[in-house]
Amino acid sequence: MSNSAPVCTMFVDFRAAFDQLWFLGCIGKLRNLGIPSSFLNWIEVWLNNRRCFIEINGSKSRWFSIEKGGPQGSVLTPTLFITYNCDMCSSLSGCINHFFADDLAGIMAGQLGINYSSQCLDLEKRIKVFLDNLDYYSCLTDQPINFNKTKAMFSARAIGHPKFVINFRQDTMDIIEWTSEYKYLGYIISPKLGWGKFLKYMMTKIRQRISLIKSFKIFGCSSPYLRKTLFMSHVLPIFTWIYPIYPLLSENQQNDLSHFYYSSLRRVLYCLHWNENFFAFALDEKSLEDRCHSYWEKYLAALADSIDGELLFEKANLNVFRQIWIDKQFSIKCLRTSKRFIPHQSIIEKIVGWMASIPSRSSVPVYEIDEIQLLKDFPESFDSI
């Protein structure tokens, strides 16, 4: 989309995903992946020969065998499902795929270097190829798709929606609807490709939980320690949703979130009249920026030793070569540059640049004893908790 090409994101929903796990196909794929026979035999015994019955108002049905689907509530079932569908992305060529648990997102873009109408026609063909490959894979793996929950989102610099209809199969009336926003893996995504709606949703959720914490009392009272414990266990996890995207936000959004984090904690502890710097010093509380920085330090350290990390760094290098090509330092005969090409950085480059801009010192201020003694001149501003 940064190069003015229309983009379609297909959010695919599998019907009763874990309950449709095909035993024979799963065991066969695990065998092809080289799983040791001892583990394979254990998994096969764990899946097969399971029976159940249905009870309604005290009346029980007869026992019947379960021919597919992993046991409900087991931690092994999602792992088997992911392993069973590990070859899905390679089967869906011509697009970028993101597959997590039972959530699949396929991203397709129109051809570059042509006018917008031709790009939309090319995008329609790519969507058709994607759906054909998805249908073929669905039949092979016996993994049905829920058409009612499968949505498509159109993103483009031009205003308006596409004028073509997405049919999953030509001989059926299974139509995939266009949507203006979609909640994927906890994040609200819209065609504007901004984080505004997600941040607004998150802040509303945090305010609701803060209200619950402030109303929580034991024997008619509550302590600051209890309220802070509840904040760390029920509110801070929502803030952790921001950690992966914090470096990608604008400076104003980062400042607003940092202020919102401190004000939320001060509200829980009834310290709204405290200055943020003194509040951080008194409670030895790190800023949201510091927490995000620590998160990315650990993540990049783990990423450096993984295959995914190598692929991301390789993509960053491709962006460098792309920029050199745009600057006409070398040419490619089959491609031509366009005024609509927009220079952009990879996510890794942006994050590393953001981390380099963060001071190495802690965000918790350090006051000298003389500065602390000055606080006695302002008792009305620094009441105890």
Side-chain angles (χ1 to χ4, degrees), residues 128 131-132 165-170 172-176:
K128 180 64 171 60
L131 293 178
D132 288 343
V165 178
I166 303 177
N167 289 93
F168 190 78
R169 297 188 184 95
Q170 296 295 334
T172 63
M173 297 300 293
D174 296 325
I175 297 177
I176 298 176

Side-chain angles (χ1 to χ4, degrees), residues 120-343:
C120 289
L121 293 175
D122 180 72
L123 178 61
E124 185 177 3
K125 295 178 182 178
R126 292 172 186 260
I127 294 174
K128 180 64 171 60
V129 172
F130 172 81
L131 293 178
D132 288 343
N133 293 335
L134 182 63
D135 186 24
Y136 181 70
Y137 182 86
S138 174
C139 294
L140 283 181
T141 58
D142 195 16
Q143 193 72 53
I145 296 173
N146 189 345
F147 304 105
N148 295 328
K149 293 185 178 181
T150 297
K151 304 293 181 182
M153 189 172 66
F154 183 77
S155 306
R157 291 182 177 273
I159 300 176
H161 294 283
K163 297 181 180 180
F164 56 88
V165 178
I166 303 177
N167 289 93
F168 190 78
R169 297 188 184 95
Q170 296 295 334
D171 55 341
T172 63
M173 297 300 293
D174 296 325
I175 297 177
I176 298 176
E177 298 180 354
W178 296 99
T179 183
S180 58
E181 66 177 38
Y182 192 85
K183 188 175 181 181
Y184 181 70
L185 301 181
Y187 293 91
I188 298 177
I189 303 174
S190 66
K192 294 183 179 180
L193 300 182
W195 299 106
K197 287 188 176 181
F198 168 71
L199 295 179
K200 184 178 180 180
Y201 165 78
M202 184 213 65
M203 293 170 75
T204 302
K205 200 173 186 67
I206 288 174
R207 290 190 181 99
Q208 292 173 348
R209 295 202 177 184
I210 288 176
S211 299
L212 291 175
I213 291 174
K214 293 178 67 176
S215 63
F216 183 81
K217 294 182 179 180
I218 299 178
F219 300 110
C221 62
S222 64
S223 66
Y225 176 78
L226 174 61
R227 292 195 298 272
K228 186 175 181 180
T229 302
L230 292 174
F231 179 89
M232 293 300 174
S233 58
H234 294 281
V235 178
L236 185 61
I238 303 179
F239 277 105
T240 58
W241 296 356
I242 304 175
Y243 293 176
I245 65 171
Y246 188 85
L248 309 178
L249 302 177
S250 65
E251 185 177 353
N252 289 336
Q253 287 176 326
Q254 292 179 359
N255 294 334
D256 291 343
L257 285 173
S258 297
H259 175 71
F260 180 70
Y261 172 76
Y262 271 135
S263 62
S264 299
L265 187 53
R266 286 186 297 154
R267 190 179 299 275
V268 168
L269 299 177
Y270 299 106
C271 299
L272 281 175
H273 54 286
W274 284 23
N275 179 276
E276 286 188 3
N277 290 331
F278 179 73
F279 178 80
F281 166 76
L283 276 73
D284 193 23
E285 183 63 37
K286 292 183 178 180
S287 66
L288 183 64
E289 188 177 67
D290 269 10
R291 292 183 178 275
C292 294
H293 189 274
S294 300
Y295 165 84
W296 276 107
E297 275 188 336
K298 297 177 182 178
Y299 183 79
L300 290 178
L303 197 64
D305 298 329
S306 65
I307 298 178
D308 291 339
E310 294 179 1
L311 294 176
L312 288 174
F313 287 119
E314 182 180 347
K315 184 178 180 181
N317 291 333
L318 289 176
N319 283 335
V320 174
F321 290 124
R322 176 182 180 275
Q323 186 59 45
I324 295 175
W325 170 63
I326 292 176
D327 295 338
K328 298 182 179 180
Q329 297 184 25
F330 71 89
S331 61
I332 302 176
K333 293 183 179 180
C334 61
L335 295 176
R336 64 179 182 87
T337 57
S338 171
K339 294 181 180 179
R340 293 183 293 180
F341 276 108
I342 298 176

Side-chain angles (χ1 to χ4, degrees), residues 58-164:
S59 301
K60 298 181 180 180
S61 68
R62 61 178 179 83
W63 288 89
F64 57 91
S65 300
I66 300 177
E67 303 297 336
K68 60 169 56 178
Q72 291 288 335
S74 173
V75 295
L76 184 57
T77 299
T79 304
L80 282 179
F81 181 84
I82 295 172
T83 308
Y84 176 56
N85 293 285
C86 63
D87 57 345
M88 179 186 296
C89 293
S90 60
S91 301
L92 304 176
S93 59
C95 64
I96 301 175
N97 300 309
H98 298 277
F99 184 59
F100 181 82
D102 59 340
D103 294 316
L104 171 66
I107 304 173
M108 294 142 282
Q111 181 181 346
L112 299 178
I114 57 179
N115 59 50
Y116 180 75
S117 300
S118 301
Q119 285 179 332
C120 289
L121 293 175
D122 180 72
L123 178 61
E124 185 177 3
K125 295 178 182 178
R126 292 172 186 260
I127 294 174
K128 180 64 171 60
V129 172
F130 172 81
L131 293 178
D132 288 343
N133 293 335
L134 182 63
D135 186 24
Y136 181 70
Y137 182 86
S138 174
C139 294
L140 283 181
T141 58
D142 195 16
Q143 193 72 53
I145 296 173
N146 189 345
F147 304 105
N148 295 328
K149 293 185 178 181
T150 297
K151 304 293 181 182
M153 189 172 66
F154 183 77
S155 306
R157 291 182 177 273
I159 300 176
H161 294 283
K163 297 181 180 180
F164 56 88

